Amino acid sequence: MGLGLEESLRLSVAALMQATGDSQRVIAGVLGLTQTQISRRQSGATSWTLRDVDVLAGHYGIAALDLLAGPTRACEMLPAARRRTANAAGKGVAR
């Protein structure tokens, strides 16, 4: 059996954060939440909302269904302009 939707979404968000260099603080700002609330969502203590999915998909420039399809699909659909560059990754620069 595959991953459940909640776990798949958590993995997608984590993968996109890694690919773009976004921190939980950045995601919190995008969603109008606190870093602690993002941490609770990512740990599974609190569920992501449909509004969160819509806003995150817009932030990453992908369709909501691609975000829900899992980390591989979400990262494949991430626009190149949103990806962290190799140079920035080496310097630990986060957006």
Side-chain angles (χ1 to χ4, degrees):
M1 184 170 178
L3 297 174
L5 190 56
E6 287 272 347
E7 181 66 12
S8 180
L9 179 57
R10 286 193 296 273
L11 291 172
S12 293
V13 171
L16 290 168
M17 288 172 62
Q18 177 67 30
T20 61
D22 284 351
S23 65
Q24 287 186 350
R25 185 165 283 130
V26 168
I27 299 303
V30 167
L31 293 171
L33 301 171
T34 66
Q35 181 275 323
T36 300
Q37 289 172 303
I38 299 305
S39 178
R40 292 181 55 77
R41 281 166 169 76
Q42 280 300 93
S43 72
T46 302
S47 295
W48 291 100
T49 67
L50 290 176
R51 178 197 167 277
D52 295 338
V53 171
D54 282 339
V55 173
L56 284 171
H59 173 69
Y60 287 115
I62 65 175
L65 291 177
D66 290 328
L67 180 59
L68 294 171
T72 301
R73 177 70 177 181
C75 288
E76 287 173 349
M77 300 309 294
L78 184 66
R82 287 289 287 124
R83 294 184 186 279
R84 177 172 34 180
T85 65
N87 190 26
K91 294 182 180 179
V93 175
R95 292 182 181 193

